[in-house]
Amino acid sequence: MPFVTVELLEGRTMEQKRALAEKVTEAVEQTTGAPKERIHVFVKDIKKDEYAPSGIFVCDK
Amino acid sequence: MPFVTVELLEGRTMEQKRALAEKVTEAVEQTTGAPKERIHVFVKDIKKDEYAPSGIFVCDK
Amino acid sequence: MPFVTVELLEGRTMEQKRALAEKVTEAVEQTTGAPKERIHVFVKDIKKDEYAPSGIFVCDK
Amino acid sequence: MPFVTVELLEGRTMEQKRALAEKVTEAVEQTTGAPKERIHVFVKDIKKDEYAPSGIFVCDK
Amino acid sequence: MPFVTVELLEGRTMEQKRALAEKVTEAVEQTTGAPKERIHVFVKDIKKDEYAPSGIFVCDK
Amino acid sequence: MPFVTVELLEGRTMEQKRALAEKVTEAVEQTTGAPKERIHVFVKDIKKDEYAPSGIFVCDK
């Protein structure tokens, strides 16, 4: 604790995700005072055929 | 917002999921008054080897 | 299974939520073929001080 | 209901997951009094490239 | 990691929840080999006006 | 999308949460390229009687 879950539309590179996890961890550390070793980040890909904004899947747009 | 997550046992076709996302979006729109463009639907497959009702995985039944 | 979770900004009446749960259940039943007694709907209020689109809480807008 | 979700770092065998689902179901049954047929367990693998404790992905350690 | 989330219909006592967290932790420890200090359990109450099996809220049954 | 959920042990001030939501949004914007208006942050309090690391609730430690 704290736990952070980031859901992203698939397509980001591992390099972007590394930077994301690092920067988000820093943001949480600085604003909550939690030590880095207690911050857990999850980065999850959401596939284009499982996300439907306005009821239409991204893969169909 | 609103956000809707539907978890389904794997096996439905993309055609079924399209109808599902559309109909669920309409149901949310009509009953909450939220405009369609603010309704986000996620349809996630649950695999038969990750769901265990009564403690036994579906793939083992 | 199926399980449906609807997250709504706080403020809807219980009456709206009842209609929502009923209509969403019907939509899932019709499009997936799952029998009604296996469809579970969760309707969760999201508070204005816990949701921050664009990084600003709704309670501060 | 009750619903139990277990998130595990990928790598456990199906045999371990079977034992896990069974033992967790028993633990929930004994302590809450819920009948086994109403206890639903989900066992989800978390991949090493989606979990970043302290901001660094497990696959990079 | 592992992380365990248990969702219970409201009404269990704190005493039941303590036993639940303890027994579930033991079950996870024994079956996955994860050390106890890395197992995190969350026990969440689901209110009767937010859970609608078959589309009807528990508070209305 | 992206969606970010931060789970924090209860006790942080609204001021800390505002800074958290802002800084996390910036971190996601800079590293993923997603425009700010598509980034949604949720900050959720976890109560001391619902989180049990090592099987013991924080409120009992």
Side-chain angles (χ1 to χ4, degrees), chain A residues 7 46 48-57 59-60, chain B residues 14 17-18 21-22 25 36-37 39-44:
Chain A
E7 293 175 295
I46 301 295
K48 291 179 182 174
D49 63 359
E50 60 183 20
Y51 174 46
S54 311
I56 299 170
F57 287 101
C59 64
D60 291 335
Chain B
M14 199 60 210
K17 292 179 186 176
R18 281 189 189 101
E22 220 180 277
T25 300
K36 195 169 279 198
E37 61 271 19
I39 302 172
H40 302 254
V41 176
F42 299 83
V43 178
K44 297 190 177 174

Side-chain angles (χ1 to χ4, degrees), chain A residues 5 16 25 30 34 37 42 44 57 60:
Chain A
T5 303
Q16 284 180 299
T25 300
Q30 287 165 17
E37 61 272 17
F42 298 83
K44 297 191 177 173
F57 287 101
D60 291 335

Side-chain angles (χ1 to χ4, degrees), chain C residues 3-14:
Chain C
F3 300 113
V4 184
T5 302
V6 185
E7 293 175 295
L8 289 172
L9 199 60
E10 58 177 346
R12 264 71 176 211
T13 64
M14 199 61 209

Side-chain angles (χ1 to χ4, degrees), chain C residues 2 6 11 19 27 33 35 41 45 54-55 61:
Chain C
V6 185
V41 176
D45 273 346
S54 311
K61 291 196 174 180

Side-chain angles (χ1 to χ4, degrees), chain B:
Chain B
M1 193 78 87
F3 299 112
V4 184
T5 303
V6 185
E7 293 175 295
L8 289 172
L9 200 60
E10 57 176 348
R12 264 70 176 213
T13 64
M14 199 60 210
E15 214 40 69
Q16 284 180 297
K17 292 179 186 176
R18 281 189 189 101
L20 171 67
E22 220 180 277
K23 293 293 179 196
V24 165
T25 300
E26 282 173 23
V28 174
E29 190 185 22
Q30 286 165 17
T31 55
T32 66
K36 195 169 279 198
E37 61 271 19
R38 297 188 51 191
I39 302 172
H40 302 254
V41 176
F42 299 83
V43 178
K44 297 190 177 174
D45 272 347
I46 302 294
K47 291 183 192 144
K48 291 178 182 174
D49 62 0
E50 60 183 21
Y51 175 46
S54 309
I56 298 171
F57 286 102
V58 175
C59 64
D60 290 336
K61 292 198 174 181

